[in-house]
Amino acid sequence: MSIETDILREQKRIRNADFVKPPNALKQKLGVGGLDPSVIEKAEKFIAEHTVDFGMLGAQLVQALGDGMSTAKEGGLAEEPAIEVILYPAAQLKAQGTMFHFPLVTRIAEILVSFLERVEATNDDVFDIVEAHKSALTYVLSNNLRDETSAHGRALQNTLQEACRRYYRSRQMMNEAGA
Amino acid sequence: MGYKFKDITILVVDSQPALLDLIRGILQMFGCKKIITTTAQDKGLALFHEYKPDLLIVDWELANSSGISFTKVVRNDKENPYVPIIFMTALSSKERVAQARDSGINEFLAKPFTADSLYKRIEAITEKPRYFVKTGDFTGPNRRRRSEDNFDGQDRRQLNPKQPKE
């Protein structure tokens, strides 16, 4: 009786919603009229001209990707944390490549992030695909390859995407065989 | 006329110092003078309490923590739980976007981003503020924007209840 009452009370607590209209402090301070497009253009120019030694930074992130893979391979982590130790360095590479003028790094890391967000657990096949991305990123950074639309850049992306597709197909076949 | 960024304080929390520098530069180009940055959640929370920023820009991955837990702590703050939060991440699956939204963020900013995309998030928060919902263990902006037109505190479902089928 009391347990049921507690459950009902908890459900009521979750379902009851208070709506609050907070003061728009940001609007009060910013005022009206938005930003002049020329200001945003200048900010875009700032990004374009902002220089960082991404070769070194990117290499550190690729190293972190390798370290994450080693941790995941050692075992001892549950499935989701094992994926996350690889996923986060990959996400950093995706985020920072384009912002620091290496769009090809972003494209390759994006393929890896999408792959890691779809896999349910790590295994040797997953590690092989991560290793292929890691090698590609190392090659791109050490050869200062930046253009994702170059023939070389496109070939790298297509090869990695095809490796991911082969993995999905093999998992699908295994699932169908199991069902 | 036009936005005056010089009077607002923005706290940026991101695990990558190089990105913090870049974001600081973009905000300075917008005209912002008070930009506080840090890589870690505990320092970020201390700065949040000390400076009472007008806007938070938070990354998913923080040093030894995550932007999700940072956001939840802020949303449960007694003094300033409604501070606008722009959440940055390079992760893109539906599940992760939903997880970020469920933590109570205002706007989602996919990395890599442009100055224009960052500005558009700030503009959206400023010009289209949302009501906040406090229910159970969730505090955050109401996701059902359509119901906020002439909002009178009643949910749209309550106004137009569907009759159960016989």
Side-chain angles (χ1 to χ4, degrees):
Chain A
M1 175 73 177
S2 66
I3 293 173
E4 282 179 17
T5 310
D6 286 347
I7 291 170
L8 287 172
R9 193 179 296 127
E10 177 63 9
Q11 284 179 340
K12 193 177 175 192
R13 186 183 73 83
I14 292 169
R15 284 178 183 166
N16 281 350
D18 291 328
F19 288 86
V20 180
K21 186 180 185 182
N24 193 346
L26 203 55
K27 176 77 177 170
Q28 286 165 12
K29 289 189 179 178
L30 282 175
V32 294
L35 271 184
D36 192 278
S38 66
V39 174
I40 297 164
E41 270 178 40
K42 280 182 191 165
E44 301 290 12
K45 198 176 170 209
F46 168 80
I47 297 175
E49 292 174 355
H50 186 77
T51 51
V52 161
D53 183 3
F54 187 70
M56 194 176 76
L57 186 59
Q60 288 170 355
L61 289 169
V62 172
Q63 177 64 45
L65 184 66
D67 293 345
M69 198 157 56
S70 300
T71 305
K73 276 182 178 175
E74 281 169 12
L77 290 176
E79 284 169 0
E80 190 59 27
I83 293 169
E84 284 182 356
V85 291
I86 310 169
L87 178 61
Y88 286 131
Q92 290 295 345
L93 284 156
K94 177 186 167 187
Q96 296 184 44
T98 294
M99 302 202 78
F100 297 128
H101 320 305
F102 274 80
L104 182 54
V105 167
T106 286
R107 285 295 303 128
I108 290 170
E110 190 172 23
I111 296 165
L112 181 56
V113 167
S114 298
F115 174 71
L116 291 169
E117 286 187 315
R118 283 181 68 174
V119 299
E120 290 164 356
T122 52
N123 56 44
D124 287 345
D125 293 336
V126 169
F127 290 135
D128 285 346
I129 289 174
V130 177
E131 188 63 50
H133 283 80
K134 181 173 167 274
S135 301
L137 289 162
T138 303
Y139 176 78
V140 163
L141 286 165
S142 55
N143 289 281
N144 198 27
L145 301 177
R146 298 174 182 232
D147 186 2
E148 84 271 35
T149 60
S150 68
H152 208 145
R154 281 204 305 269
L156 271 173
Q157 292 170 63
N158 290 340
T159 304
L160 293 166
Q161 278 169 333
E162 184 51 39
C164 296
R165 277 195 286 269
R166 276 200 305 275
Y167 176 83
Y168 300 139
R169 279 198 296 270
S170 70
R171 295 302 294 181
Q172 191 179 354
M173 285 166 67
M174 281 170 67
N175 288 341
E176 285 169 2
Chain B
M1 297 299 271
Y3 281 173
K4 292 180 178 61
F5 272 83
K6 68 179 173 59
D7 293 330
I8 68 167
T9 304
I10 300 179
L11 170 62
V12 189
V13 193
D14 191 305
S15 63
Q16 298 294 313
L19 269 180
L20 286 175
D21 286 345
L22 187 66
I23 296 167
R24 177 191 291 277
I26 295 168
L27 294 170
Q28 282 172 340
M29 299 305 285
F30 289 172
C32 192
K33 306 283 184 204
K34 296 173 221 164
I35 305 151
I36 315 150
T37 62
T38 184
T39 58
Q41 170 167 323
D42 50 356
K43 183 79 190 298
L45 290 170
L47 293 168
F48 169 70
H49 289 118
E50 184 180 349
Y51 289 93
K52 299 183 175 37
D54 303 295
L55 174 67
L56 303 183
I57 301 176
V58 182
D59 186 47
W60 187 299
E61 193 189 359
L62 307 179
N64 301 319
S65 180
S66 85
I68 301 277
S69 64
F70 182 91
T71 302
K72 286 181 178 174
V73 173
V74 168
R75 288 291 177 243
N76 285 300
D77 186 67
K78 291 213 165 33
E79 281 186 54
N80 195 13
Y82 308 122
V83 60
I85 300 176
I86 295 174
F87 197 81
M88 305 180 288
T89 181
L91 305 176
S92 56
S93 70
K94 278 183 188 172
E95 292 79 10
R96 289 184 194 276
V97 172
Q99 197 183 343
R101 292 211 182 280
D102 288 348
S103 69
I105 64 166
N106 291 71
E107 290 289 330
F108 195 87
L109 179 62
K111 282 180 170 179
F113 59 85
T114 61
D116 186 52
S117 58
L118 174 58
Y119 168 65
K120 282 201 164 62
R121 300 307 182 283
I122 298 173
E123 188 184 37
I125 288 171
T126 308
E127 303 301 333
K128 295 175 183 172
R130 295 168 187 264
Y131 280 77
F132 264 62
V133 185
K134 295 176 98 170
T135 177
D137 57 359
F138 172 78
T139 300
N142 185 15
R143 297 277 152 231
R144 309 177 78 204
R145 195 186 283 278
R146 275 192 302 170
S147 70
E148 292 180 7
D149 297 336
N150 301 317
F151 185 80
D152 63 359
Q154 272 191 304
D155 189 78
R156 203 153 43 96
R157 273 191 304 190
Q158 290 175 302
L159 295 170
N160 302 298
K162 283 184 182 171
Q163 295 299 316
K165 288 179 182 173
E166 293 292 326

